[in-house]
């Protein structure tokens, strides 16, 4: 059987993962929702798995409907833009200005998704950044459209700071119904039956210094002494791992990029403390898992996803190694006794 490919299919993990996590944290049954939309549950744990893009879009709409929150997608997109994703983080790391960032985004995101095409056009009077969907959306795309606007506007506003002016930006999108009230003034938004989104702004924005001061790197980094003597440094690394442990393949290089420190420097710090990156990651995974088992009602399958494991079987094996018990046993023992 040949593997499905082409513009109709995309990588489910990249699109759905942040929405699935937000949906389950608010009590939604993500497994049932995926089944209803014909999406393999394994897509959330396999970044390479191709799934029907229209099904992903439909799942996002259903999440908002079930939660009774018309702004669900936009809220998740805003939070994602504030915290960062690997693709945008890579694009922003070496960007000298906004134009540099945009050109890097086109390259980086295009490597990871194949259901959209990016283009940038520049004239003396206006710059247009366009995202064209290669998948024809036949159902309402309220959440999808809101996600695009919320994500990119938040990134741009955060990146260029005071240069950003709502009077100088114009966004064309099929619908604005999924955007929270007041997110942008009405004059900055135009609705048109296009397959995607168009953002227009003045050329001088391209030269604006660009810096994404991600929320997740605001914690004190300690001294980052070469000998690793600072406890504040080790505490910072632990906190950063907890915040990013959901990434299934969080390599040392990826983690070092998030921390903005060379990988070898992190290795030296951890060796000086008598530990290693793999051990620190394992400890963070155990800590987050125990917290979620004790203080939430999330299904074990979803907890596995939240700590970067492939599924409940992988979590069960890891948890037995950590504690000698299963996640279910630990959860039952963590419940306070009824008086």
């Amino acid at each position: 059987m040949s593997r499905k490919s082409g513009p109709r299919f995309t990588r489910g993990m990249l699109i759905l993962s942040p929405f699935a996590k937000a949906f389950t944290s608010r009590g939604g049954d993500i497994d049932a929702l995926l089944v209803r939309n014909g999406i393999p549950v394994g897509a959330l744990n396999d970044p390479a798995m191709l799934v029907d893009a229209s099904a992903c879009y439909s799942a996002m709409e259903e999440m908002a409907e079930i939660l009774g929150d018309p702004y669900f997608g936009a809220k998740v997109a805003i939070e994602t833009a504030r915290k960062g994703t690997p693709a945008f983080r890579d694009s922003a790391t070496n960007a000298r200005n906004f134009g540099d960032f945009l050109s890097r985004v086109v390259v980086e995101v295009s490597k990871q998704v194949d259901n959209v095409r990016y283009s940038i056009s520049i004239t003396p009077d206006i710059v247009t950044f366009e995202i064209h969907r290669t998948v024809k959306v036949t159902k309402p795309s309220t959440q999808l459209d809101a996600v695009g606007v919320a994500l990119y506007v938040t990134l741009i506003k955060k990146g260029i700071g005071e240069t950003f002016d709502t009077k100088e930006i114009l966004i064309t999108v099929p619908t604005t119904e999924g955007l929270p009230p007041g997110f942008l003034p009405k004059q900055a938004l135009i609705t048109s039956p296009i397959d995607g989104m168009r953002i227009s702004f003045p050329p001088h924005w391209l030269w604006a210094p660009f810096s994404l001061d991600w929320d997740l790197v605001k914690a004190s980094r300690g001294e980052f002494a070469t000998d690793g003597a600072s406890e504040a440094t080790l505490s910072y690394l632990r906190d950063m791992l907890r915040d990013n442990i959901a990434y299934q393949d969080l390599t040392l290089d990826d983690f070092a990029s998030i921390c903005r420190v060379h990988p070898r420097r992190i290795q030296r710090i951890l060796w000086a403390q008598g530990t290693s990156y793999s051990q620190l990651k394992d400890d963070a995974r155990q800590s987050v898992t125990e917290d979620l088992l004790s203080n939430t009602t999330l299904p074990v399958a979803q907890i596995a996803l939240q700590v970067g494991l492939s599924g409940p079987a992988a979590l069960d094996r890891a948890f037995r190694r950590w504690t000698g018990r299963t996640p279910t046993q630990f959860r039952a023992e963590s419940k306070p006794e009824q008086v």
Side-chain angles (χ1 to χ4, degrees), residues 95-103 122-127 156 159-161 163-164 201-211:
R96 295 164 296 179
N97 51 47
F98 180 40
D100 193 10
F101 170 74
L102 278 184
S103 63
I122 304 173
T123 71
D125 300 316
I126 194 168
V127 177
I156 296 170
I160 64 177
T163 300
F164 184 86
F201 51 88
H204 73 86
W205 282 21
L206 292 174
W207 309 111
F210 192 86
S211 175

Side-chain angles (χ1 to χ4, degrees), residues 138-194:
T138 57
K139 297 180 180 179
S141 58
T142 303
Q143 297 302 308
L144 181 61
D145 297 326
V147 165
V149 176
L151 178 68
Y152 280 97
V153 169
T154 303
L155 283 171
I156 296 170
K157 185 175 182 180
K158 190 176 182 67
I160 64 177
E162 294 181 358
T163 300
F164 184 86
D165 186 346
T166 57
K167 296 178 182 178
E168 294 184 321
I169 191 170
L170 185 64
I171 298 177
T172 306
V173 71
T175 177
T176 60
E177 293 179 7
L179 289 174
F183 180 73
L184 279 175
K186 291 183 179 180
Q187 60 268 27
L189 297 164
I190 295 177
T191 57
S192 174
I194 62 174

Side-chain angles (χ1 to χ4, degrees), residues 26-309:
R26 293 174 61 173
D29 186 343
I30 187 63
D31 289 351
L33 183 142
L34 293 178
V35 169
R36 284 195 298 273
N37 287 277
I39 301 173
V41 176
L44 290 176
N45 299 309
D46 184 357
M49 182 179 290
L50 296 179
V51 298
D52 191 304
S54 293
C56 291
Y57 303 156
S58 178
M60 291 166 58
E61 302 295 330
E62 188 176 341
M63 288 180 197
E65 182 178 348
I66 290 174
L67 296 175
D69 184 356
Y71 311 123
F72 169 70
K75 291 175 182 176
V76 175
I78 291 169
E79 185 64 18
T80 299
R82 287 174 177 169
K83 286 188 174 182
T85 67
F88 291 125
R89 189 179 292 115
D90 290 345
S91 301
T93 299
N94 299 310
R96 295 164 296 179
N97 51 47
F98 180 40
D100 193 10
F101 170 74
L102 278 184
S103 63
R104 292 171 186 271
V105 163
V106 171
V107 174
E108 290 297 328
V109 179
S110 295
K111 292 178 184 176
Q112 301 187 35
V113 297
D114 53 4
N115 60 312
V116 293
R117 289 200 303 266
Y118 289 79
S119 64
I120 302 174
S121 63
I122 304 173
T123 71
D125 300 316
I126 194 168
V127 177
T128 300
F129 175 58
E130 188 161 357
I131 302 173
H132 175 73
R133 289 194 292 259
T134 57
V135 178
K136 186 70 175 180
V137 179
T138 57
K139 297 180 180 179
S141 58
T142 303
Q143 297 302 308
L144 181 61
D145 297 326
V147 165
V149 176
L151 178 68
Y152 280 97
V153 169
T154 303
L155 283 171
I156 296 170
K157 185 175 182 180
K158 190 176 182 67
I160 64 177
E162 294 181 358
T163 300
F164 184 86
D165 186 346
T166 57
K167 296 178 182 178
E168 294 184 321
I169 191 170
L170 185 64
I171 298 177
T172 306
V173 71
T175 177
T176 60
E177 293 179 7
L179 289 174
F183 180 73
L184 279 175
K186 291 183 179 180
Q187 60 268 27
L189 297 164
I190 295 177
T191 57
S192 174
I194 62 174
D195 290 325
M197 177 180 66
R198 186 180 303 121
I199 303 177
S200 301
F201 51 88
H204 73 86
W205 282 21
L206 292 174
W207 309 111
F210 192 86
S211 175
L212 289 172
D213 183 19
W214 303 110
D215 290 349
L216 50 73
V217 296
K218 287 184 178 178
S220 171
R221 300 203 310 173
E223 299 173 12
F224 267 110
T226 302
D227 61 2
S230 172
E231 177 60 32
T233 297
L234 195 60
S235 177
Y236 168 80
L237 294 175
R238 289 195 186 102
D239 289 343
M240 291 294 287
L241 269 172
R242 282 179 60 93
D243 288 344
N244 294 277
I245 201 65
Y247 291 115
Q248 189 173 354
D249 186 22
L250 186 62
T251 65
L252 175 59
D253 287 347
D254 293 335
F255 181 62
S257 177
I258 292 171
C259 296
R260 299 177 183 176
V261 180
H262 196 281
R264 290 180 183 174
R265 195 172 186 189
I266 291 181
Q267 284 181 320
R268 287 196 296 269
I269 290 170
L270 297 180
W271 286 339
Q273 294 287 346
T275 187
S276 65
Y277 174 67
S278 61
Q279 183 60 54
L280 204 69
K281 185 166 67 170
D282 202 45
D283 292 344
R285 185 167 281 147
Q286 178 181 354
S287 175
V288 173
T289 299
E290 291 181 350
D291 181 49
L292 292 174
L293 286 170
S294 300
N295 301 306
T296 75
T297 58
L298 285 176
V300 172
Q302 293 309 313
I303 292 178
L305 178 65
Q306 298 252 15
V307 297
L309 294 175

